[in-house]
Amino acid sequence: MDAGPIIEVTNLTKHYAGRPAVCDVSFTVHRGDIVGLLGPNGAGKSTTMRIVACYIPASSGTVRVAGFDVFSQPDEVRRRIGYMPEHNPLYQEMRVWEYLRFRARLKGLSRKRARERLDIVTEQFGLKGVRRKLIGHLSKGYRQRVGLADALLHEPELLILDEPTLGLDPHQVRSVRQLIKDLAASRTVLISTHILPEAELTCNRVLIMHQGRLLAEGQPEQLRQQLSAGSQVVAEIAAPADVLRGYLEAMPEIESFDIVHADGLFNRCLITPKPGVDLRPVIFHLAKERGWTLRELSRSRFSLEDIYVRVTETQTDEEG
Amino acid sequence: MQVYLTLLRRELGSFLVSWIGYVTIAGAAFLTGLSFVVLLVKLRLETTAMPVTEMFYATPFFWLILLLGTPLITMRLFAQEKFSGTFETLMTTAVGDWQVVLGKFSAALLAYMLMWLPLLGCIVVVRRYVNDPAAVDPRTVAVMFVGILLLGSMFVAIGCFGSALTRNQIVAAMVSFAIGTGLFVLSFLGDRMGLQTGWTAQVFTYLALVDQMQDFAKGIIDTRPVVLCTTATVFFLFLTVRVIESRRWR
């Protein structure tokens, strides 16, 4: 397998009727990654995916998939990707096997190969029991499986899934998520979602988009660390508030703090440290030295949701 | 070729499982039946030198079937796929625009020919009960069907174009009906405008589909309508491809 990046997006811009939908976006996706494209509705996720999948062209910038340019070599690119559009459109009047056979033949598989792949994907996605059912009569979860099975028929190197869990119930979401994780063992997946916990559970890298721009990218853990600079440390200590205040004010690592009375002898300190500092050992040693009882010491961990809100807030502030 | 045949098969299959397919075929069969009744009444009243195919053509039902049937067959081709989003799945597969357009066009044309099968049935009935074998000459019947095919391919191509323009099937049907009817009306425009001589009159004669088809019904193959229908078909299919491609310029 080629070692180069599977997707290279450089300065991608797309205008719709003069309005920018995607603005100067650049990113790279390496083979074997599960990359989540995050953002609210209208952030430019679907547009970006459609451009990578060769459905619409970019206004400017370049996109290469497995080294092929999406504008000048679309067929080479299409052969290498399995794309499931938003809302997973399917022909309602066709039976499951009929649809998958049609798609396999359309993708250029020989009759024999199509039959083999059909057997494999129907098995893989648990579609054996509904092979003969009309797609229009299937539940949404099963339809999603049909869409995924279709995307995988020609064994693409790259899977592009636009909101694959949209509109599913929690059980279906869980099973689709598991399917995607299983798929990612052998191929690269680019998946978009506006449901953040989902990306946190599925992806090993995220790209956060907002108003057509790429605001942040990295592993969820990395992003968390970058932002944890501003995270708060909570400590509940059995010590008088004014004594505590004196000690905390004297500490150079602390940016700001707040003390509220908890109960009995305990006071609750909410401390914001300076960037890059982990205050927890410092607080622990302080309590130990002074012989204070410490009943809680924690640092608030950012969820992807917090990261997302912070990143987009910063953006809005800068604009304002 | 594989892509073209796969698409053709799916389109035809989807036409044959849809209610609109059966309504269209049933409607056409009903109108053909009516024209058969009209023809039998005429034959009982007087003897005629016309071939039976021309007598069929002389009833008003021929153009009704052609003008109403083709938009119904073609309206879903692209509009439905655009509406349901399957167009995106289709166009992100390694298929060419021309393959898609030709596959859909061919399927619609086959469905259209299926719509004319009852006419063949009627002709077979006439042939069986008329003592004079010359009344239904197989060659004349074949030529009439060539005419039906040629005119049909033009109207189906117009339908493809109408359907590619929009995601609304009703709008698609209206557009193709309007263009089709416009072409049909051109047949009478020359006479209405009192044009007898000159190049304009000649142009209108070339474009007079009603008269062109009459020649086919008589068993005459004139190259002019063949060229007209073929070029018009290619032209409208070309326009359809351009419309499909247009998403790449926007």
mmCIF file with all atom_site columns, all heavy atoms in Angstrom, chain A residues 284-307:
data_model
loop_
_atom_site.group_PDB
_atom_site.id
_atom_site.type_symbol
_atom_site.label_atom_id
_atom_site.label_alt_id
_atom_site.label_comp_id
_atom_site.label_asym_id
_atom_site.label_entity_id
_atom_site.label_seq_id
_atom_site.pdbx_PDB_ins_code
_atom_site.Cartn_x
_atom_site.Cartn_y
_atom_site.Cartn_z
_atom_site.occupancy
_atom_site.B_iso_or_equiv
_atom_site.pdbx_formal_charge
_atom_site.auth_seq_id
_atom_site.auth_comp_id
_atom_site.auth_asym_id
_atom_site.auth_atom_id
_atom_site.pdbx_PDB_model_num
ATOM 1   N N   . PHE A 1 284 ? -2.029  19.412 46.786 1.00 0.00 ? 284 PHE A N   1
ATOM 2   C CA  . PHE A 1 284 ? -1.918  18.249 47.664 1.00 0.00 ? 284 PHE A CA  1
ATOM 3   C C   . PHE A 1 284 ? -0.806  18.472 48.702 1.00 0.00 ? 284 PHE A C   1
ATOM 4   O O   . PHE A 1 284 ? -1.000  18.266 49.900 1.00 0.00 ? 284 PHE A O   1
ATOM 5   C CB  . PHE A 1 284 ? -1.628  16.986 46.835 1.00 0.00 ? 284 PHE A CB  1
ATOM 6   C CG  . PHE A 1 284 ? -1.265  15.804 47.667 1.00 0.00 ? 284 PHE A CG  1
ATOM 7   C CD1 . PHE A 1 284 ? -2.248  15.104 48.372 1.00 0.00 ? 284 PHE A CD1 1
ATOM 8   C CD2 . PHE A 1 284 ? 0.058   15.391 47.785 1.00 0.00 ? 284 PHE A CD2 1
ATOM 9   C CE1 . PHE A 1 284 ? -1.917  14.019 49.156 1.00 0.00 ? 284 PHE A CE1 1
ATOM 10  C CE2 . PHE A 1 284 ? 0.396   14.313 48.575 1.00 0.00 ? 284 PHE A CE2 1
ATOM 11  C CZ  . PHE A 1 284 ? -0.591  13.621 49.265 1.00 0.00 ? 284 PHE A CZ  1
ATOM 12  N N   . HIS A 1 285 ? 0.345   18.943 48.225 1.00 0.00 ? 285 HIS A N   1
ATOM 13  C CA  . HIS A 1 285 ? 1.476   19.154 49.141 1.00 0.00 ? 285 HIS A CA  1
ATOM 14  C C   . HIS A 1 285 ? 1.174   20.235 50.178 1.00 0.00 ? 285 HIS A C   1
ATOM 15  O O   . HIS A 1 285 ? 1.538   20.121 51.345 1.00 0.00 ? 285 HIS A O   1
ATOM 16  C CB  . HIS A 1 285 ? 2.745   19.474 48.358 1.00 0.00 ? 285 HIS A CB  1
ATOM 17  C CG  . HIS A 1 285 ? 3.337   18.255 47.704 1.00 0.00 ? 285 HIS A CG  1
ATOM 18  N ND1 . HIS A 1 285 ? 3.767   17.180 48.439 1.00 0.00 ? 285 HIS A ND1 1
ATOM 19  C CD2 . HIS A 1 285 ? 3.512   17.919 46.391 1.00 0.00 ? 285 HIS A CD2 1
ATOM 20  C CE1 . HIS A 1 285 ? 4.203   16.233 47.608 1.00 0.00 ? 285 HIS A CE1 1
ATOM 21  N NE2 . HIS A 1 285 ? 4.050   16.663 46.353 1.00 0.00 ? 285 HIS A NE2 1
ATOM 22  N N   . LEU A 1 286 ? 0.487   21.258 49.729 1.00 0.00 ? 286 LEU A N   1
ATOM 23  C CA  . LEU A 1 286 ? 0.106   22.340 50.636 1.00 0.00 ? 286 LEU A CA  1
ATOM 24  C C   . LEU A 1 286 ? -0.737  21.778 51.783 1.00 0.00 ? 286 LEU A C   1
ATOM 25  O O   . LEU A 1 286 ? -0.466  22.039 52.967 1.00 0.00 ? 286 LEU A O   1
ATOM 26  C CB  . LEU A 1 286 ? -0.684  23.412 49.860 1.00 0.00 ? 286 LEU A CB  1
ATOM 27  C CG  . LEU A 1 286 ? -1.282  24.525 50.703 1.00 0.00 ? 286 LEU A CG  1
ATOM 28  C CD1 . LEU A 1 286 ? -0.186  25.445 51.246 1.00 0.00 ? 286 LEU A CD1 1
ATOM 29  C CD2 . LEU A 1 286 ? -2.287  25.349 49.904 1.00 0.00 ? 286 LEU A CD2 1
ATOM 30  N N   . ALA A 1 287 ? -1.757  20.973 51.411 1.00 0.00 ? 287 ALA A N   1
ATOM 31  C CA  . ALA A 1 287 ? -2.659  20.403 52.408 1.00 0.00 ? 287 ALA A CA  1
ATOM 32  C C   . ALA A 1 287 ? -1.895  19.469 53.342 1.00 0.00 ? 287 ALA A C   1
ATOM 33  O O   . ALA A 1 287 ? -2.101  19.464 54.561 1.00 0.00 ? 287 ALA A O   1
ATOM 34  C CB  . ALA A 1 287 ? -3.801  19.663 51.724 1.00 0.00 ? 287 ALA A CB  1
ATOM 35  N N   . LYS A 1 288 ? -0.959  18.715 52.759 1.00 0.00 ? 288 LYS A N   1
ATOM 36  C CA  . LYS A 1 288 ? -0.201  17.750 53.545 1.00 0.00 ? 288 LYS A CA  1
ATOM 37  C C   . LYS A 1 288 ? 0.685   18.471 54.573 1.00 0.00 ? 288 LYS A C   1
ATOM 38  O O   . LYS A 1 288 ? 0.710   18.130 55.749 1.00 0.00 ? 288 LYS A O   1
ATOM 39  C CB  . LYS A 1 288 ? 0.663   16.898 52.605 1.00 0.00 ? 288 LYS A CB  1
ATOM 40  C CG  . LYS A 1 288 ? 1.148   15.604 53.212 1.00 0.00 ? 288 LYS A CG  1
ATOM 41  C CD  . LYS A 1 288 ? 1.938   14.844 52.165 1.00 0.00 ? 288 LYS A CD  1
ATOM 42  C CE  . LYS A 1 288 ? 3.114   14.167 52.825 1.00 0.00 ? 288 LYS A CE  1
ATOM 43  N NZ  . LYS A 1 288 ? 4.142   13.763 51.870 1.00 0.00 ? 288 LYS A NZ  1
ATOM 44  N N   . GLU A 1 289 ? 1.397   19.489 54.084 1.00 0.00 ? 289 GLU A N   1
ATOM 45  C CA  . GLU A 1 289 ? 2.281   20.257 54.953 1.00 0.00 ? 289 GLU A CA  1
ATOM 46  C C   . GLU A 1 289 ? 1.541   20.892 56.115 1.00 0.00 ? 289 GLU A C   1
ATOM 47  O O   . GLU A 1 289 ? 1.992   20.863 57.262 1.00 0.00 ? 289 GLU A O   1
ATOM 48  C CB  . GLU A 1 289 ? 2.954   21.384 54.150 1.00 0.00 ? 289 GLU A CB  1
ATOM 49  C CG  . GLU A 1 289 ? 4.251   20.978 53.488 1.00 0.00 ? 289 GLU A CG  1
ATOM 50  C CD  . GLU A 1 289 ? 4.713   22.054 52.520 1.00 0.00 ? 289 GLU A CD  1
ATOM 51  O OE1 . GLU A 1 289 ? 4.394   23.253 52.738 1.00 0.00 ? 289 GLU A OE1 1
ATOM 52  O OE2 . GLU A 1 289 ? 5.384   21.693 51.513 1.00 0.00 ? 289 GLU A OE2 1
ATOM 53  N N   . ARG A 1 290 ? 0.371   21.472 55.806 1.00 0.00 ? 290 ARG A N   1
ATOM 54  C CA  . ARG A 1 290 ? -0.384  22.185 56.835 1.00 0.00 ? 290 ARG A CA  1
ATOM 55  C C   . ARG A 1 290 ? -1.230  21.237 57.677 1.00 0.00 ? 290 ARG A C   1
ATOM 56  O O   . ARG A 1 290 ? -1.838  21.647 58.646 1.00 0.00 ? 290 ARG A O   1
ATOM 57  C CB  . ARG A 1 290 ? -1.316  23.225 56.194 1.00 0.00 ? 290 ARG A CB  1
ATOM 58  C CG  . ARG A 1 290 ? -0.648  24.196 55.232 1.00 0.00 ? 290 ARG A CG  1
ATOM 59  C CD  . ARG A 1 290 ? 0.343   25.110 55.897 1.00 0.00 ? 290 ARG A CD  1
ATOM 60  N NE  . ARG A 1 290 ? -0.217  25.773 57.063 1.00 0.00 ? 290 ARG A NE  1
ATOM 61  C CZ  . ARG A 1 290 ? 0.499   26.347 58.028 1.00 0.00 ? 290 ARG A CZ  1
ATOM 62  N NH1 . ARG A 1 290 ? 1.797   26.304 57.985 1.00 0.00 ? 290 ARG A NH1 1
ATOM 63  N NH2 . ARG A 1 290 ? -0.087  26.950 59.044 1.00 0.00 ? 290 ARG A NH2 1
ATOM 64  N N   . GLY A 1 291 ? -1.320  19.992 57.269 1.00 0.00 ? 291 GLY A N   1
ATOM 65  C CA  . GLY A 1 291 ? -2.117  19.012 58.005 1.00 0.00 ? 291 GLY A CA  1
ATOM 66  C C   . GLY A 1 291 ? -3.615  19.218 57.827 1.00 0.00 ? 291 GLY A C   1
ATOM 67  O O   . GLY A 1 291 ? -4.419  18.849 58.675 1.00 0.00 ? 291 GLY A O   1
ATOM 68  N N   . TRP A 1 292 ? -4.021  19.804 56.691 1.00 0.00 ? 292 TRP A N   1
ATOM 69  C CA  . TRP A 1 292 ? -5.450  19.999 56.403 1.00 0.00 ? 292 TRP A CA  1
ATOM 70  C C   . TRP A 1 292 ? -6.054  18.740 55.798 1.00 0.00 ? 292 TRP A C   1
ATOM 71  O O   . TRP A 1 292 ? -5.361  18.005 55.080 1.00 0.00 ? 292 TRP A O   1
ATOM 72  C CB  . TRP A 1 292 ? -5.662  21.144 55.409 1.00 0.00 ? 292 TRP A CB  1
ATOM 73  C CG  . TRP A 1 292 ? -5.274  22.501 55.937 1.00 0.00 ? 292 TRP A CG  1
ATOM 74  C CD1 . TRP A 1 292 ? -5.270  22.903 57.228 1.00 0.00 ? 292 TRP A CD1 1
ATOM 75  C CD2 . TRP A 1 292 ? -4.829  23.595 55.159 1.00 0.00 ? 292 TRP A CD2 1
ATOM 76  N NE1 . TRP A 1 292 ? -4.860  24.201 57.346 1.00 0.00 ? 292 TRP A NE1 1
ATOM 77  C CE2 . TRP A 1 292 ? -4.581  24.670 56.074 1.00 0.00 ? 292 TRP A CE2 1
ATOM 78  C CE3 . TRP A 1 292 ? -4.623  23.824 53.806 1.00 0.00 ? 292 TRP A CE3 1
ATOM 79  C CZ2 . TRP A 1 292 ? -4.135  25.916 55.667 1.00 0.00 ? 292 TRP A CZ2 1
ATOM 80  C CZ3 . TRP A 1 292 ? -4.195  25.066 53.414 1.00 0.00 ? 292 TRP A CZ3 1
ATOM 81  C CH2 . TRP A 1 292 ? -3.943  26.104 54.329 1.00 0.00 ? 292 TRP A CH2 1
ATOM 82  N N   . THR A 1 293 ? -7.291  18.527 56.091 1.00 0.00 ? 293 THR A N   1
ATOM 83  C CA  . THR A 1 293 ? -7.966  17.399 55.452 1.00 0.00 ? 293 THR A CA  1
ATOM 84  C C   . THR A 1 293 ? -8.397  17.799 54.045 1.00 0.00 ? 293 THR A C   1
ATOM 85  O O   . THR A 1 293 ? -8.975  18.865 53.852 1.00 0.00 ? 293 THR A O   1
ATOM 86  C CB  . THR A 1 293 ? -9.210  16.969 56.253 1.00 0.00 ? 293 THR A CB  1
ATOM 87  O OG1 . THR A 1 293 ? -8.828  16.855 57.612 1.00 0.00 ? 293 THR A OG1 1
ATOM 88  C CG2 . THR A 1 293 ? -9.780  15.663 55.741 1.00 0.00 ? 293 THR A CG2 1
ATOM 89  N N   . LEU A 1 294 ? -8.084  16.931 53.086 1.00 0.00 ? 294 LEU A N   1
ATOM 90  C CA  . LEU A 1 294 ? -8.440  17.209 51.677 1.00 0.00 ? 294 LEU A CA  1
ATOM 91  C C   . LEU A 1 294 ? -9.450  16.147 51.254 1.00 0.00 ? 294 LEU A C   1
ATOM 92  O O   . LEU A 1 294 ? -9.147  14.952 51.312 1.00 0.00 ? 294 LEU A O   1
ATOM 93  C CB  . LEU A 1 294 ? -7.159  17.099 50.845 1.00 0.00 ? 294 LEU A CB  1
ATOM 94  C CG  . LEU A 1 294 ? -7.235  17.376 49.363 1.00 0.00 ? 294 LEU A CG  1
ATOM 95  C CD1 . LEU A 1 294 ? -7.539  18.847 49.130 1.00 0.00 ? 294 LEU A CD1 1
ATOM 96  C CD2 . LEU A 1 294 ? -5.905  17.029 48.695 1.00 0.00 ? 294 LEU A CD2 1
ATOM 97  N N   . ARG A 1 295 ? -10.668 16.535 50.925 1.00 0.00 ? 295 ARG A N   1
ATOM 98  C CA  . ARG A 1 295 ? -11.632 15.491 50.573 1.00 0.00 ? 295 ARG A CA  1
ATOM 99  C C   . ARG A 1 295 ? -11.970 15.465 49.072 1.00 0.00 ? 295 ARG A C   1
ATOM 100 O O   . ARG A 1 295 ? -12.594 14.544 48.581 1.00 0.00 ? 295 ARG A O   1
ATOM 101 C CB  . ARG A 1 295 ? -12.897 15.582 51.414 1.00 0.00 ? 295 ARG A CB  1
ATOM 102 C CG  . ARG A 1 295 ? -13.822 16.705 51.038 1.00 0.00 ? 295 ARG A CG  1
ATOM 103 C CD  . ARG A 1 295 ? -15.147 16.620 51.759 1.00 0.00 ? 295 ARG A CD  1
ATOM 104 N NE  . ARG A 1 295 ? -15.992 17.722 51.351 1.00 0.00 ? 295 ARG A NE  1
ATOM 105 C CZ  . ARG A 1 295 ? -17.110 18.046 51.933 1.00 0.00 ? 295 ARG A CZ  1
ATOM 106 N NH1 . ARG A 1 295 ? -17.547 17.356 52.978 1.00 0.00 ? 295 ARG A NH1 1
ATOM 107 N NH2 . ARG A 1 295 ? -17.821 19.061 51.494 1.00 0.00 ? 295 ARG A NH2 1
ATOM 108 N N   . GLU A 1 296 ? -11.546 16.479 48.342 1.00 0.00 ? 296 GLU A N   1
ATOM 109 C CA  . GLU A 1 296 ? -11.727 16.405 46.881 1.00 0.00 ? 296 GLU A CA  1
ATOM 110 C C   . GLU A 1 296 ? -10.628 17.193 46.199 1.00 0.00 ? 296 GLU A C   1
ATOM 111 O O   . GLU A 1 296 ? -10.256 18.282 46.646 1.00 0.00 ? 296 GLU A O   1
ATOM 112 C CB  . GLU A 1 296 ? -13.088 16.972 46.464 1.00 0.00 ? 296 GLU A CB  1
ATOM 113 C CG  . GLU A 1 296 ? -13.335 16.777 44.968 1.00 0.00 ? 296 GLU A CG  1
ATOM 114 C CD  . GLU A 1 296 ? -14.593 17.469 44.455 1.00 0.00 ? 296 GLU A CD  1
ATOM 115 O OE1 . GLU A 1 296 ? -15.521 17.677 45.254 1.00 0.00 ? 296 GLU A OE1 1
ATOM 116 O OE2 . GLU A 1 296 ? -14.594 17.791 43.264 1.00 0.00 ? 296 GLU A OE2 1
ATOM 117 N N   . LEU A 1 297 ? -10.060 16.592 45.173 1.00 0.00 ? 297 LEU A N   1
ATOM 118 C CA  . LEU A 1 297 ? -9.068  17.327 44.379 1.00 0.00 ? 297 LEU A CA  1
ATOM 119 C C   . LEU A 1 297 ? -9.226  16.842 42.934 1.00 0.00 ? 297 LEU A C   1
ATOM 120 O O   . LEU A 1 297 ? -8.948  15.692 42.623 1.00 0.00 ? 297 LEU A O   1
ATOM 121 C CB  . LEU A 1 297 ? -7.653  17.024 44.880 1.00 0.00 ? 297 LEU A CB  1
ATOM 122 C CG  . LEU A 1 297 ? -6.518  17.754 44.154 1.00 0.00 ? 297 LEU A CG  1
ATOM 123 C CD1 . LEU A 1 297 ? -6.677  19.257 44.227 1.00 0.00 ? 297 LEU A CD1 1
ATOM 124 C CD2 . LEU A 1 297 ? -5.166  17.364 44.757 1.00 0.00 ? 297 LEU A CD2 1
ATOM 125 N N   . SER A 1 298 ? -9.718  17.711 42.071 1.00 0.00 ? 298 SER A N   1
ATOM 126 C CA  . SER A 1 298 ? -9.941  17.249 40.693 1.00 0.00 ? 298 SER A CA  1
ATOM 127 C C   . SER A 1 298 ? -9.713  18.380 39.708 1.00 0.00 ? 298 SER A C   1
ATOM 128 O O   . SER A 1 298 ? -9.748  19.564 40.064 1.00 0.00 ? 298 SER A O   1
ATOM 129 C CB  . SER A 1 298 ? -11.369 16.722 40.553 1.00 0.00 ? 298 SER A CB  1
ATOM 130 O OG  . SER A 1 298 ? -12.283 17.777 40.782 1.00 0.00 ? 298 SER A OG  1
ATOM 131 N N   . ARG A 1 299 ? -9.461  17.971 38.477 1.00 0.00 ? 299 ARG A N   1
ATOM 132 C CA  . ARG A 1 299 ? -9.342  18.964 37.411 1.00 0.00 ? 299 ARG A CA  1
ATOM 133 C C   . ARG A 1 299 ? -10.465 18.683 36.424 1.00 0.00 ? 299 ARG A C   1
ATOM 134 O O   . ARG A 1 299 ? -10.648 17.526 36.024 1.00 0.00 ? 299 ARG A O   1
ATOM 135 C CB  . ARG A 1 299 ? -7.998  18.828 36.722 1.00 0.00 ? 299 ARG A CB  1
ATOM 136 C CG  . ARG A 1 299 ? -7.769  19.916 35.674 1.00 0.00 ? 299 ARG A CG  1
ATOM 137 C CD  . ARG A 1 299 ? -6.364  19.909 35.183 1.00 0.00 ? 299 ARG A CD  1
ATOM 138 N NE  . ARG A 1 299 ? -6.093  18.677 34.447 1.00 0.00 ? 299 ARG A NE  1
ATOM 139 C CZ  . ARG A 1 299 ? -4.942  18.458 33.816 1.00 0.00 ? 299 ARG A CZ  1
ATOM 140 N NH1 . ARG A 1 299 ? -3.984  19.347 33.872 1.00 0.00 ? 299 ARG A NH1 1
ATOM 141 N NH2 . ARG A 1 299 ? -4.755  17.348 33.167 1.00 0.00 ? 299 ARG A NH2 1
ATOM 142 N N   . SER A 1 300 ? -11.211 19.715 36.059 1.00 0.00 ? 300 SER A N   1
ATOM 143 C CA  . SER A 1 300 ? -12.313 19.467 35.130 1.00 0.00 ? 300 SER A CA  1
ATOM 144 C C   . SER A 1 300 ? -11.726 19.095 33.772 1.00 0.00 ? 300 SER A C   1
ATOM 145 O O   . SER A 1 300 ? -10.876 19.785 33.235 1.00 0.00 ? 300 SER A O   1
ATOM 146 C CB  . SER A 1 300 ? -13.193 20.705 35.019 1.00 0.00 ? 300 SER A CB  1
ATOM 147 O OG  . SER A 1 300 ? -12.416 21.803 34.643 1.00 0.00 ? 300 SER A OG  1
ATOM 148 N N   . ARG A 1 301 ? -12.156 17.957 33.236 1.00 0.00 ? 301 ARG A N   1
ATOM 149 C CA  . ARG A 1 301 ? -11.675 17.492 31.935 1.00 0.00 ? 301 ARG A CA  1
ATOM 150 C C   . ARG A 1 301 ? -12.592 18.022 30.854 1.00 0.00 ? 301 ARG A C   1
ATOM 151 O O   . ARG A 1 301 ? -13.795 17.954 30.986 1.00 0.00 ? 301 ARG A O   1
ATOM 152 C CB  . ARG A 1 301 ? -11.734 15.958 31.903 1.00 0.00 ? 301 ARG A CB  1
ATOM 153 C CG  . ARG A 1 301 ? -10.397 15.304 31.973 1.00 0.00 ? 301 ARG A CG  1
ATOM 154 C CD  . ARG A 1 301 ? -10.608 13.830 32.120 1.00 0.00 ? 301 ARG A CD  1
ATOM 155 N NE  . ARG A 1 301 ? -10.902 13.220 30.825 1.00 0.00 ? 301 ARG A NE  1
ATOM 156 C CZ  . ARG A 1 301 ? -9.951  12.792 29.998 1.00 0.00 ? 301 ARG A CZ  1
ATOM 157 N NH1 . ARG A 1 301 ? -8.699  12.927 30.312 1.00 0.00 ? 301 ARG A NH1 1
ATOM 158 N NH2 . ARG A 1 301 ? -10.266 12.228 28.869 1.00 0.00 ? 301 ARG A NH2 1
ATOM 159 N N   . PHE A 1 302 ? -11.992 18.535 29.817 1.00 0.00 ? 302 PHE A N   1
ATOM 160 C CA  . PHE A 1 302 ? -12.829 19.042 28.735 1.00 0.00 ? 302 PHE A CA  1
ATOM 161 C C   . PHE A 1 302 ? -13.358 17.904 27.889 1.00 0.00 ? 302 PHE A C   1
ATOM 162 O O   . PHE A 1 302 ? -12.616 17.015 27.505 1.00 0.00 ? 302 PHE A O   1
ATOM 163 C CB  . PHE A 1 302 ? -12.024 19.970 27.836 1.00 0.00 ? 302 PHE A CB  1
ATOM 164 C CG  . PHE A 1 302 ? -11.923 21.338 28.387 1.00 0.00 ? 302 PHE A CG  1
ATOM 165 C CD1 . PHE A 1 302 ? -10.723 21.849 28.816 1.00 0.00 ? 302 PHE A CD1 1
ATOM 166 C CD2 . PHE A 1 302 ? -13.055 22.114 28.490 1.00 0.00 ? 302 PHE A CD2 1
ATOM 167 C CE1 . PHE A 1 302 ? -10.647 23.117 29.330 1.00 0.00 ? 302 PHE A CE1 1
ATOM 168 C CE2 . PHE A 1 302 ? -12.980 23.389 29.000 1.00 0.00 ? 302 PHE A CE2 1
ATOM 169 C CZ  . PHE A 1 302 ? -11.769 23.891 29.432 1.00 0.00 ? 302 PHE A CZ  1
ATOM 170 N N   . SER A 1 303 ? -14.633 17.945 27.646 1.00 0.00 ? 303 SER A N   1
ATOM 171 C CA  . SER A 1 303 ? -15.159 17.015 26.660 1.00 0.00 ? 303 SER A CA  1
ATOM 172 C C   . SER A 1 303 ? -14.970 17.682 25.297 1.00 0.00 ? 303 SER A C   1
ATOM 173 O O   . SER A 1 303 ? -14.666 18.873 25.225 1.00 0.00 ? 303 SER A O   1
ATOM 174 C CB  . SER A 1 303 ? -16.638 16.757 26.906 1.00 0.00 ? 303 SER A CB  1
ATOM 175 O OG  . SER A 1 303 ? -17.354 17.926 26.628 1.00 0.00 ? 303 SER A OG  1
ATOM 176 N N   . LEU A 1 304 ? -15.159 16.929 24.263 1.00 0.00 ? 304 LEU A N   1
ATOM 177 C CA  . LEU A 1 304 ? -15.026 17.487 22.933 1.00 0.00 ? 304 LEU A CA  1
ATOM 178 C C   . LEU A 1 304 ? -16.010 18.650 22.771 1.00 0.00 ? 304 LEU A C   1
ATOM 179 O O   . LEU A 1 304 ? -15.743 19.627 22.088 1.00 0.00 ? 304 LEU A O   1
ATOM 180 C CB  . LEU A 1 304 ? -15.305 16.388 21.905 1.00 0.00 ? 304 LEU A CB  1
ATOM 181 C CG  . LEU A 1 304 ? -14.636 16.586 20.564 1.00 0.00 ? 304 LEU A CG  1
ATOM 182 C CD1 . LEU A 1 304 ? -13.177 16.904 20.740 1.00 0.00 ? 304 LEU A CD1 1
ATOM 183 C CD2 . LEU A 1 304 ? -14.805 15.331 19.733 1.00 0.00 ? 304 LEU A CD2 1
ATOM 184 N N   . GLU A 1 305 ? -17.122 18.512 23.446 1.00 0.00 ? 305 GLU A N   1
ATOM 185 C CA  . GLU A 1 305 ? -18.153 19.543 23.373 1.00 0.00 ? 305 GLU A CA  1
ATOM 186 C C   . GLU A 1 305 ? -17.604 20.870 23.905 1.00 0.00 ? 305 GLU A C   1
ATOM 187 O O   . GLU A 1 305 ? -17.793 21.918 23.299 1.00 0.00 ? 305 GLU A O   1
ATOM 188 C CB  . GLU A 1 305 ? -19.350 19.093 24.193 1.00 0.00 ? 305 GLU A CB  1
ATOM 189 C CG  . GLU A 1 305 ? -20.609 19.799 23.812 1.00 0.00 ? 305 GLU A CG  1
ATOM 190 C CD  . GLU A 1 305 ? -21.815 19.027 24.299 1.00 0.00 ? 305 GLU A CD  1
ATOM 191 O OE1 . GLU A 1 305 ? -21.768 17.777 24.269 1.00 0.00 ? 305 GLU A OE1 1
ATOM 192 O OE2 . GLU A 1 305 ? -22.772 19.661 24.706 1.00 0.00 ? 305 GLU A OE2 1
ATOM 193 N N   . ASP A 1 306 ? -16.904 20.807 25.062 1.00 0.00 ? 306 ASP A N   1
ATOM 194 C CA  . ASP A 1 306 ? -16.325 22.025 25.630 1.00 0.00 ? 306 ASP A CA  1
ATOM 195 C C   . ASP A 1 306 ? -15.300 22.620 24.676 1.00 0.00 ? 306 ASP A C   1
ATOM 196 O O   . ASP A 1 306 ? -15.256 23.822 24.457 1.00 0.00 ? 306 ASP A O   1
ATOM 197 C CB  . ASP A 1 306 ? -15.631 21.716 26.961 1.00 0.00 ? 306 ASP A CB  1
ATOM 198 C CG  . ASP A 1 306 ? -16.603 21.161 27.973 1.00 0.00 ? 306 ASP A CG  1
ATOM 199 O OD1 . ASP A 1 306 ? -17.732 21.661 28.009 1.00 0.00 ? 306 ASP A OD1 1
ATOM 200 O OD2 . ASP A 1 306 ? -16.242 20.214 28.685 1.00 0.00 ? 306 ASP A OD2 1
ATOM 201 N N   . ILE A 1 307 ? -14.459 21.727 24.121 1.00 0.00 ? 307 ILE A N   1
ATOM 202 C CA  . ILE A 1 307 ? -13.434 22.182 23.187 1.00 0.00 ? 307 ILE A CA  1
ATOM 203 C C   . ILE A 1 307 ? -14.096 22.909 22.033 1.00 0.00 ? 307 ILE A C   1
ATOM 204 O O   . ILE A 1 307 ? -13.727 24.019 21.664 1.00 0.00 ? 307 ILE A O   1
ATOM 205 C CB  . ILE A 1 307 ? -12.631 20.983 22.618 1.00 0.00 ? 307 ILE A CB  1
ATOM 206 C CG1 . ILE A 1 307 ? -11.898 20.285 23.748 1.00 0.00 ? 307 ILE A CG1 1
ATOM 207 C CG2 . ILE A 1 307 ? -11.665 21.440 21.547 1.00 0.00 ? 307 ILE A CG2 1
ATOM 208 C CD1 . ILE A 1 307 ? -11.179 19.034 23.327 1.00 0.00 ? 307 ILE A CD1 1
#
